[in-house]
C-alpha cells in the first residue's frame, strides 16, 4: 500500500511539470514569413510568469512583463534563429526555439500630397528624384554645421538600407552623439544641375528615437546656377516650437512665428516644403516658402 501511494505522488508530480513551458502559436517553425512577423506565444508554470522575451539571432527584440505575447516584429529578409523565452517568479527559465525564413515587405507607395494653394501642380516633365536616402555619394560634416561654419565637433554617422524602422524596407539612419553640448551634424546629397527650375518641392518621412535631445531639425533645398546660390534653408526649432528660415542676404536664421510642434518619438512624420524662386538674382523678395505640412 505504501508503494502504491508513493507511485501516485510521483505521477502527479510529472503531470504538473508537463504543463510548464512556452508555447508558440504563431508563426509556425520552418515557415516563410513576411516582415513584420506576427508572434503569438504563451508561457505557463507552477509559479507566476514574470516576463517573456523574443530573441532573434541572439539579440533581444521584444520583452513584456506578462505571460502572453501578441506582437509584430520587424525582421530583415534572411533566415533567422528565434527563441521565445519566459521566466517565472522562482527564476526558472523556459524556452521555445524555432527557425524562420523572412521576406522583405512590399514597398509602400509614397502618397503624393496635394499641392499647396498658390503653387502650380508639378508638370509631367518635372525633374523628380526619388529614394534619395538610398543614393550613394552623400556628403557630411560636423564642425561646418555650427555657427559661422566652425562649430563644436560631434560624433555622427549615416547608415543606408535599414530594414527597420522603414517605410519601404530601405531607410537611411542618421545618428549624432558625443559629449559636447549644442554640437551639430549636416548631411547633404547633390542631385545635379537643373538651372531652369523655379519651383521646388521637398518631401520626406522622418522618424526619431529621442526627440528630447534635439535643439533643432534642419531641412534644406539649395540651388546654384553657376552665378548665384539660392538657399531655401528651414529648421524646426524644437526648443522654441517654431519654424525658422535662413535669411540669405538678410542674415542667418530668422524666426517666422509659425508653430512647429516637437515631433513624437517612434513614429513616422511626413514633411512637405514647397519653394518658389521668383527672380534670377537673390534679393529679399526672390524666395518664397509656403507654410510646411508636417504630420
Amino acid at each position: 500500500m505504501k508503494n502504491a501511494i508513493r507511485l501516485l505522488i510521483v505521477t502527479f508530480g510529472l503531470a504538473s511539470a508537463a504543463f510548464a513551458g512556452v508555447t508558440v502559436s504563431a508563426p509556425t517553425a520552418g515557415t516563410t514569413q513576411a516582415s513584420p512577423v506576427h508572434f503569438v506565444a504563451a508561457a505557463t508554470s507552477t509559479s507566476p510568469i514574470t516576463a517573456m522575451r523574443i530573441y532573434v539571432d541572439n539579440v533581444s527584440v521584444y520583452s513584456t512583463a506578462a505571460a502572453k505575447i501578441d506582437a509584430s516584429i520587424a525582421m530583415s529578409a534572411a533566415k533567422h534563429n528565434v527563441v521565445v523565452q519566459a521566466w517565472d517568479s522562482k527564476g526558472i527559465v523556459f524556452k521555445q526555439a524555432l527557425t524562420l525564413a523572412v521576406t522583405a515587405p512590399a514597398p509602400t507607395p509614397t502618397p503624393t500630397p496635394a499641392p499647396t494653394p498658390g503653387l502650380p501642380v508639378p508638370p509631367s516633365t518635372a525633374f523628380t528624384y526619388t529614394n534619395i536616402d538610398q543614393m550613394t555619394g552623400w556628403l557630411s560634416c560636423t564642425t561646418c554645421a555650427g555657427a559661422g561654419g566652425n562649430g563644436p565637433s560631434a560624433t555622427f554617422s549615416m547608415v543606408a538600407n535599414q530594414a527597420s524602422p522603414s517605410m519601404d524596407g530601405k531607410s537611411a539612419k542618421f545618428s549624432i552623439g558625443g559629449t559636447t553640448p549644442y554640437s551639430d551634424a549636416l548631411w547633404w546629397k547633390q542631385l545635379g544641375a537643373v538651372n531652369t527650375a523655379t519651383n521646388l518641392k521637398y518631401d520626406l518621412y522622418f522618424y526619431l528615437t529621442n526627440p528630447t535631445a534635439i535643439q533643432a531639425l534642419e531641412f534644406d533645398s539649395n540651388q546654384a546656377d553657376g552665378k548665384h546660390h539660392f538657399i531655401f534653408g528651414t529648421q524646426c526649432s524644437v526648443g522654441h516650437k517654431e519654424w525658422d528660415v535662413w535669411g540669405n542676404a538678410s542674415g542667418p536664421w530668422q524666426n517666422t512665428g509659425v508653430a512647429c510642434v516637437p515631433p513624437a518619438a517612434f513614429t513616422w512624420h511626413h514633411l512637405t516644403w514647397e519653394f518658389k524662386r521668383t527672380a534670377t538674382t537673390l534679393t529679399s523678395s526672390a524666395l518664397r516658402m509656403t507654410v510646411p505640412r508636417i504630420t
Side-chain angles (χ1 to χ4, degrees), residues 67-120:
K68 294 182 179 180
I69 290 177
D70 189 342
S72 294
I73 307 299
M75 299 172 64
S76 61
K79 187 175 182 180
H80 296 283
N81 294 315
V82 178
V83 174
V84 180
Q85 189 164 310
W87 293 260
D88 68 13
S89 59
K90 293 183 178 179
I92 300 176
V93 178
F94 308 94
K95 299 180 180 180
Q96 180 64 53
L98 61 151
T99 58
L100 295 174
V102 178
T103 59
T108 302
T110 301
T112 302
T116 301
L119 290 179

Side-chain angles (χ1 to χ4, degrees), residues 104-110 131 133-134 162-163 165-172 268:
T108 302
T110 301
N131 293 324
D133 59 321
Q134 300 173 26
Q162 299 292 293
S166 174
M167 299 279 297
D168 60 1
K170 291 185 178 181
S171 64
W268 285 102

Side-chain angles (χ1 to χ4, degrees), residues 169-237:
K170 291 185 178 181
S171 64
K173 179 181 179 180
F174 301 87
S175 302
I176 178 173
T179 58
T180 306
Y182 304 106
S183 53
D184 304 283
L186 183 65
W187 294 265
W188 69 94
K189 170 62 181 169
Q190 297 180 352
L191 300 175
V194 186
N195 294 346
T196 58
T198 57
N199 295 285
L200 309 175
K201 176 177 283 189
Y202 183 97
D203 188 89
L204 81 155
Y205 288 83
F206 65 95
Y207 181 104
L208 303 171
T209 59
N210 186 14
T212 59
I214 297 171
Q215 183 186 23
L217 290 169
E218 184 174 347
F219 307 94
D220 301 340
S221 289
N222 293 356
Q223 184 184 27
D225 62 4
K227 297 180 180 179
H228 311 99
H229 193 188
F230 303 96
I231 302 175
F232 297 90
T234 75
Q235 70 173 10
C236 175
S237 180

Side-chain angles (χ1 to χ4, degrees), residues 49-70:
I49 296 296
T50 57
M52 293 188 70
R53 191 179 294 267
I54 299 174
Y55 294 90
V56 177
D57 300 327
N58 298 317
V59 177
S60 174
V61 297
Y62 178 85
S63 64
T64 180
K68 294 182 179 180
I69 290 177
D70 189 342

Side-chain angles (χ1 to χ4, degrees), residues 6 10 23 25 34 42 63 71 74 87 96 119 127 135 137 166 176 179 184 199 229 245 264 266 271 275 278-279:
R6 185 180 298 111
V10 171
T23 302
S25 303
S63 64
W87 293 260
Q96 180 64 53
L119 290 179
F127 286 85
M135 295 180 179
S166 174
I176 178 173
T179 58
D184 304 283
N199 295 285
H229 193 188
V245 297
F266 302 105
L271 170 68
F275 308 113
T278 59

Side-chain angles (χ1 to χ4, degrees), residues 115-153:
T116 301
L119 290 179
V121 175
S124 59
T125 56
F127 286 85
T128 302
Y129 300 91
T130 59
N131 293 324
I132 299 174
D133 59 321
Q134 300 173 26
M135 295 180 179
T136 59
W138 277 77
L139 302 174
S140 60
C141 70
T142 175
T143 56
C144 81
N150 189 26
S153 179

